């Protein structure tokens, strides 16, 4: 490839950082602008299914090794019925998934995932405290202006800045995400407080009486903790936050009719966080010229297939491959190749997540878990 090309990524979350690592691995210069002044332990715990882990392993730079230092490795993916406890599906994960898909399933806190990723970037690539306030075009380059002063020029702009993406608004105009009428509760419980509760080493989903009601649990911190994630309809509470406290007693009352083994998980919770869930419908396009979107900026989804982070990670790898496969002068064409490769898959997962029926009973997980972002055909 000839010439220099600077890719600017707005958003230093999982998708943005993975894109930066992948782009550098494939020979592109990149800078990441993140509004937070520092990367703290904010956010949810993440289920990295084999498709996501395969994409992360392909980054090299010790990422896969660092992931495995703190992550847990679920033994199975289990579906159970909320009231009877009946098991309706069971997939072996662990070594079986690794043999089948090339990588295992890993479960990890978002902060630990970022801790595994950020060391792969040289100093100066990740720029903190950069809150994007405006975007304008200056000839062939995009100019980013930041709150409080300062600006930067890039050749390619990637919006990885989440569901309230400033880049998305600049590309497609203002639009508000849709409240789903569903709220989510999150808690972490030490595993030694759950003696007698089965399947603590598995990813277990308790399916409720309606599609919006569920309890999901999976191991964290190499099995020392258990993550509890529960959702239910509640139209009256609309705060969208990763850090808003919830009411433990409200949580327990909401699932009082669930099977005793599910209730035991909630009884062990000392505290809980609560957040309203928002989505957007699949977009008709993601790109305009040399600007594009990635992750929740273009396809925020319900958590019911546990693929939000996975889709952003896949996006990042495919975007990097598309840009690396074109001369810098053909960046706009590269972004259309990226979009064409990713939009159908992410739309299927968005729709499937909203319908919330995937793997309720025995089914084929290969179309999700068997996807390899490093080898999928482009164009």
């Amino acid at each position: 490839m000839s010439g220099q090309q600077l890719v600017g990524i707005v958003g230093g979350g999982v998708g943005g950082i993975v894109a930066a690592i992948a782009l550098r691995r494939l020979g592109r210069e990149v800078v990441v602008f993140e509004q937070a002044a520092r990367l703290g332990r904010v956010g949810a715990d993440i289920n990295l299914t084999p498709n996501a882990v395969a994409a992360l392993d392909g980054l090299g730079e010790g990422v896969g090794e660092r992931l495995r230092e703190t992550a847990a490795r679920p033994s199975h993916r289990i579906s159970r019925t909320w009231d009877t406890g009946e098991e309706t599906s069971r997939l072996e994960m662990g070594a079986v998934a690794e043999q089948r898909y090339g990588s295992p399933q890993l479960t990890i806190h978002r902060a630990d995932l970022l801790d595994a990723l950020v060391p792969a970037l040289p100093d100066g690539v990740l720029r903190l405290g950069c809150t994007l306030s405006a975007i304008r075009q200056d000839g062939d380059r995009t100019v980013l202006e930041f709150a409080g002063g300062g600006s930067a020029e890039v050749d390619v702009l990637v919006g990885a800045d989440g569901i309230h993406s400033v880049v998305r608004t600049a590309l497609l105009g203002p639009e508000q995400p849709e409240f789903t009428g569903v709220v989510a509760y999150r808690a972490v419980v030490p595993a030694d407080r759950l003696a007698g509760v089965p399947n603590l080493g598995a990813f277990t989903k308790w399916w409720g009486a309606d599609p919006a009601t569920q309890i999901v649990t999976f191991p964290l911190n190499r099995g020392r903790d258990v993550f509890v994630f529960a959702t239910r309809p509640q139209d009256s509470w609309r705060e969208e936050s990763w850090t808003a406290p919830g009411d433990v007693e409200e949580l327990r009352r909401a699932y009082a009719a669930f099977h005793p083994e599910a209730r035991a998980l909630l009884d062990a919770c000392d505290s809980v966080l609560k957040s309203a869930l928002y989505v957007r419908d699949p977009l008709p396009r993601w790109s305009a010229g040399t600007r594009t979107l990635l992750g929740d900026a273009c396809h925020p989804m319900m958590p019911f297939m546990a693929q939000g982070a996975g889709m952003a990670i896949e996006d990042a790898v495919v975007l990097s491959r598309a840009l690396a496969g074109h001369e810098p002068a053909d960046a706009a064409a590269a972004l259309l190749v990226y979009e064409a490769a990713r939009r159908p898959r992410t739309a299927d997962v968005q729709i499937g997540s909203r319908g919330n029926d995937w793997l309720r009973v025995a089914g084929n997980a290969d179309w999700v878990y068997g996807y390899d972002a490093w080898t999928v055909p482009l164009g």
Side-chain angles (χ1 to χ4, degrees), residues 141-317:
R141 307 199 87 195
T142 296
V143 179
L144 308 178
E145 297 179 352
F146 302 106
S151 64
E153 292 187 12
V154 299
D155 298 298
V156 177
L157 175 62
V158 179
D161 48 343
I163 191 170
H164 299 289
S165 170
V166 176
V167 179
R168 181 194 177 285
T169 299
L171 263 62
L172 302 175
E175 180 187 358
Q176 293 300 313
E178 176 189 351
F179 176 51
T180 61
V182 178
V183 299
Y185 302 88
R186 293 183 285 114
V188 176
V189 180
D192 59 13
R193 295 178 54 183
L194 294 166
V197 178
N199 301 316
L200 294 182
F203 177 101
T204 301
K205 181 168 180 174
W206 294 84
W207 296 77
D210 60 76
T213 302
Q214 64 170 19
I215 300 173
V216 169
T217 66
F218 54 75
L220 286 175
N221 300 325
R222 301 180 71 88
R224 291 187 292 270
D225 295 318
V226 175
F227 180 58
V228 178
F229 178 81
T231 63
R232 72 182 182 100
Q234 188 181 35
D235 193 71
S236 60
W237 199 87
R238 301 193 174 201
E239 183 174 352
E240 184 186 11
S241 170
W242 281 353
T243 59
D247 183 332
V248 173
E249 291 305 321
E250 175 188 85
L251 171 70
R252 293 169 183 154
R253 288 194 300 270
Y255 302 89
F258 269 60
H259 189 274
E261 290 174 5
R263 296 202 311 271
L265 295 158
L266 308 185
D267 290 342
C269 296
D270 289 329
S271 61
V272 65
L273 300 177
K274 183 178 178 182
S275 180
L277 299 181
Y278 288 77
V279 296
R280 296 184 190 273
D281 290 332
L283 294 174
R285 64 184 178 93
W286 298 356
S287 306
T290 56
R291 306 173 184 178
T292 195
L293 303 172
L294 178 156
D296 282 354
C298 49
H299 50 67
M301 58 189 65
M302 292 292 276
F304 296 141
M305 286 178 65
Q307 288 298 315
M311 292 300 104
I313 291 166
E314 290 179 1
D315 285 350
V317 171

Side-chain angles (χ1 to χ4, degrees), residues 337-360:
V337 168
Y338 153 69
E339 180 180 330
R342 292 298 299 157
R343 272 202 309 116
R345 175 168 169 82
T346 57
D348 285 345
V349 176
Q350 275 183 287
I351 293 166
S353 296
R354 206 153 186 181
N356 192 25
D357 199 42
W358 187 64
L359 296 183
R360 182 168 189 159

